[in-house]
Amino acid sequence: MDYYGLPIISLENAHLRIEALSQAGPRLVRVFVQGSGEKIFAELPGLKIDTPYGPFTMNGGHRLWHAPEAMPRTYIPDDQGVTSYIKDKTMILNGSVEPFSNIQKQMTIELMETCPGIKISHTLTNHNAWAVELACWGITQLPLGGIAILPQPVLPADPSGLLPNRTLVLWPYTKWHDTRLNLEDDLVLVKGDVQDSAFKIGYTNFSGWSGYLNNSVLFLKRFEIPSSLPYPDMGCNVEVYTNHLFLELETLGSLVKLQPLQSTTITETWEFIPNLAHIPLSIKGARALVDEL
């Protein structure tokens, strides 16, 4: 079995089947809800980005990066050097130590036994002889056509209601009038529409979840509520990027200063809720879905 010619490792139970690249990444490339042929992830085998270290292959699916983003450090090619195996019904993907950055990436992926869900831990280890400040960054590439759902806090941040309770961070190429962006008091929605320009926003998510509804399946990410530690990108722990090919639903950990051989980890719990054809891809549909969660 392969992913566009690349060898894979797979794991499945009564609810889900997952596939990961066995020699590159670490990268989780496919997830299937049992009984459904819908592709949850975007598949981008030919998409490459040129870097001084050689081409970085996107491939699609779910990857682990370290934030904040920088060229060329973030885009060090990861086409080889992964050790992958399954132990006690858990898939473990160990990346080799990255050249130039000397950071090592690891994913540990466990299927839930009682529902269509995955627990996925992302770990970065510093193999430099000096301290490095960074944050874990879990990025999931999803096919266009759906809608990203980002819950917003509605309660005051302090008893008197005098302090701000929401943030929204924009990247230089993002336009306020972009038709993919829908701002509501309790939700921010980003449509995965085909457009020539790229778009990205981020914010501090205090709800502990974000989601993407597409092809009658809700892909739900749950994560730890932000701590008092600083977060990258003006305080973002959740970000959404989209262009003419895919939409990315991203989770970030806090910025930490890793000493030599120290590690940092963020854990996401994924849920896949199928058979949602009755939920329209609209503000009304998203709000109805949120009310059910």
Side-chain angles (χ1 to χ4, degrees), residues 117-245:
I118 297 172
K119 180 180 179 181
I120 177 167
S121 297
H122 313 75
T123 299
L124 299 173
T125 302
N126 178 21
H127 287 271
N128 289 283
W130 49 83
V132 175
E133 187 175 62
L134 49 70
C136 286
W137 186 9
I139 304 173
T140 309
Q141 293 186 304
L142 302 156
L144 297 178
I147 185 168
I149 304 172
L150 308 176
Q152 299 294 301
V154 294
L155 298 177
D158 65 299
S160 60
L162 299 176
L163 298 179
N165 69 339
R166 281 165 284 181
T167 61
L168 191 64
V169 177
L170 277 67
W171 271 249
Y173 46 83
T174 300
K175 307 300 181 185
W176 279 113
H177 60 267
D178 195 303
T179 56
R180 290 169 289 192
L181 176 64
N182 290 271
L183 299 174
E184 297 292 312
D185 292 334
D186 55 344
L187 296 172
V188 169
L189 306 177
V190 180
K191 296 178 181 178
D193 292 342
V194 178
Q195 296 196 22
D196 293 334
S197 60
F199 172 92
K200 186 171 185 176
I201 60 170
Y203 76 118
T204 307
N205 180 315
F206 293 105
S207 299
W209 68 270
S210 61
Y212 188 66
L213 177 63
N214 192 28
N215 293 326
S216 304
V217 178
L218 175 64
F219 169 50
L220 191 65
K221 283 192 179 191
R222 298 190 187 274
F223 43 85
E224 291 185 2
I225 303 297
S227 68
S228 59
L229 295 174
Y231 282 78
D233 302 338
M234 298 183 179
C236 294
N237 70 326
V238 167
E239 297 172 358
V240 171
Y241 171 87
T242 188
N243 58 20
H244 64 293
L245 295 173

Side-chain angles (χ1 to χ4, degrees), residues 5-23:
L6 298 175
I8 63 170
I9 183 173
S10 65
L11 183 66
E12 66 181 309
N13 62 11
H15 306 288
L16 293 175
R17 174 183 174 86
I18 62 174
E19 298 176 359
L21 299 183
S22 62
Q23 300 175 12

Side-chain angles (χ1 to χ4, degrees), residues 232-274:
D233 302 338
M234 298 183 179
C236 294
N237 70 326
V238 167
E239 297 172 358
V240 171
Y241 171 87
T242 188
N243 58 20
H244 64 293
L245 295 173
F246 56 84
L247 181 143
E248 291 182 337
L249 194 60
E250 309 173 0
T251 304
L252 298 97
S254 58
L255 279 168
V256 293
K257 194 167 187 176
L258 287 184
Q259 298 299 321
L261 299 182
Q262 282 189 338
S263 301
T264 182
T265 299
I266 61 168
T267 299
E268 298 177 4
T269 301
W270 298 355
E271 298 173 34
F272 301 90
I273 304 174

Side-chain angles (χ1 to χ4, degrees), residues 89-109:
K89 300 182 180 180
T90 298
M91 180 184 291
I92 300 172
L93 308 173
N94 287 318
S96 56
V97 177
E98 284 184 339
F100 311 107
S101 78
N102 291 320
I103 302 299
Q104 185 177 24
K105 302 171 181 175
Q106 181 192 67
M107 287 188 197
T108 303
I109 305 159

